[in-house]
Amino acid sequence: MILHPVNLEAMELVAQKLADKKLARYLCETLAPVLHCMPGDPDAVPNFVAIARKDAIAAGFEHGRKYSTHVLISFLLGPGWENDLPREALQPVFDDAGMPLLTRLDMAVNKAIQLRQQIDKNLPSMHVVFQHLLQTTAHSLSAEDIWPAFSQMAVLRGVKTPAHLQRLFATLEADALALLHLPPIARRKYSAYDLAGLRHMGRAVPLPTEGLHILHPQQLSGFIHHVLLALSFGRFYRRNPLFTTLHRLLQQPPQQHNALLRQFLQGHQNTLRETAYDQECGE
């Protein structure tokens, strides 16, 4: 009997696809309440798993419990969580060499669930701030309007220090400008000595949003939308297949985004407030 050559790589790929199908079904069935609260599209879960698999492999979580843990955390907190707000809480758990690997994985999942619960509990309040800003026409927006809204929402997302707040804004600003195909904002860098001098003279300390006046109204609206959506739904919300409704909204003409986002946020706010959190979104 002649045996044809066995392609082990192809066999591994088939096994991985079967495992991913099972994982997608598990996420849809077991975490359906969480998906509902996100809000996420159940039909998009297989596509999400395909993206999360690439992220997990790139992060060194290729197989077994490590792989499924990484995918589950990405499901709860969004793809790219290692380069977003959740990293601060999760990375120390993964890095704790004093604990067995399986213990670290379990602790990381528990921490991710806690973070998801915290986000969902605070999102209605964040949406109130976001909606209030959306009611202001782009022509009358200023740096003084944007920074308080961002600060309030960031605090609700767990940002605790002014330094962290400014770093986060700088990161999301860079993402928004890149998305809009705009160059970085040129700003003067103030030393601690400069800032102390301004305060001593009773002058206003420049806000991190200084310089945004160079954007025309439509650019400014797009900038605000991206920064606040990233704060609400994760820095990489645009590559998260679960947010089908949001993605479809953002494909509409830019001049419609303000009204459509207000409707979307109001609907999501109602979902979160009407759901018995401990029975649905939290468990």
Side-chain angles (χ1 to χ4, degrees):
M1 180 176 62
I2 300 175
L3 292 177
H4 295 287
V6 176
N7 189 330
L8 297 178
E9 184 176 343
M11 289 180 62
E12 183 178 2
L13 181 61
V14 170
Q16 184 65 64
K17 287 183 177 179
L18 290 173
D20 285 350
K21 285 183 179 179
K22 291 181 179 179
L23 183 54
R25 187 163 58 247
Y26 174 85
L27 292 173
C28 283
E29 294 173 356
T30 307
L31 298 178
V34 178
L35 190 62
H36 173 68
C37 291
M38 283 184 181
D41 179 3
D43 293 336
V45 172
N47 288 338
F48 164 81
V49 171
I51 287 176
R53 171 167 52 83
K54 293 178 181 178
D55 288 352
I57 292 172
F61 289 67
E62 299 97 334
H63 305 291
R65 282 279 298 280
K66 289 180 66 177
Y67 171 75
S68 57
T69 295
H70 197 282
V71 172
L72 177 55
I73 293 175
S74 295
F75 181 87
L76 293 168
L77 302 176
W81 55 266
E82 306 99 319
N83 295 298
D84 200 2
L85 285 170
R87 175 186 173 87
E88 186 173 343
L90 291 173
Q91 200 60 47
V93 177
F94 285 113
D95 291 343
D96 190 346
M99 291 188 296
L101 175 61
L102 293 182
T103 302
R104 281 181 276 161
L105 295 177
D106 288 341
M107 288 185 65
V109 169
N110 289 334
K111 176 61 72 173
I113 291 172
Q114 292 171 10
L115 291 172
R116 182 73 251 169
Q117 291 173 334
Q118 180 184 1
I119 291 168
D120 286 341
K121 285 181 177 179
N122 288 336
L123 270 174
S125 298
M126 293 175 65
H127 288 349
V128 169
V129 178
F130 198 166
Q131 287 172 293
H132 178 74
L133 196 64
L134 289 173
Q135 291 171 359
T136 306
T137 63
H139 290 277
S140 59
L141 279 174
S142 68
E144 287 73 21
D145 297 315
I146 300 169
W147 183 249
F150 177 82
S151 301
Q152 291 176 54
M153 291 176 64
V155 169
L156 288 167
R157 273 301 310 267
V159 178
K160 298 177 181 178
T161 67
H164 189 187
L165 188 65
Q166 295 195 24
R167 288 198 307 272
L168 176 62
F169 182 80
T171 297
L172 298 184
E173 177 187 77
D175 291 346
L177 294 174
L179 177 67
L180 296 167
H181 306 290
L182 295 172
I185 301 291
R187 294 188 179 97
R188 175 184 170 183
K189 294 186 178 180
Y190 293 88
S191 67
Y193 179 81
D194 293 331
L195 296 175
L198 290 172
R199 294 189 183 97
H200 179 73
M201 292 184 289
R203 296 173 60 182
V205 174
L207 294 171
T209 50
E210 180 188 35
L212 292 177
H213 65 277
I214 68 170
L215 305 183
H216 65 62
Q218 187 170 310
Q219 290 174 334
L220 185 60
S221 289
F223 177 92
I224 294 168
H225 295 165
H226 178 78
V227 168
L228 298 188
L229 285 171
L231 198 52
S232 302
F233 297 103
R235 181 182 174 191
F236 304 102
Y237 70 92
R238 281 183 166 268
R239 65 182 291 262
N240 189 340
L242 299 178
F243 295 140
T244 304
T245 302
L246 180 58
H247 294 168
R248 192 178 298 125
L249 180 162
L250 294 173
Q251 291 171 359
Q252 301 306 309
Q255 58 270 25
Q256 298 180 20
H257 287 182
N258 252 38
L260 292 173
L261 279 172
R262 286 168 62 186
Q263 294 174 12
F264 172 80
L265 294 173
Q266 185 62 57
H268 189 218
Q269 193 175 36
N270 293 340
T271 296
L272 291 169
R273 285 179 169 168
E274 292 169 2
T275 301
Y277 186 87
D278 292 336
Q279 298 177 11
E280 297 288 340
C281 298
E283 299 295 338

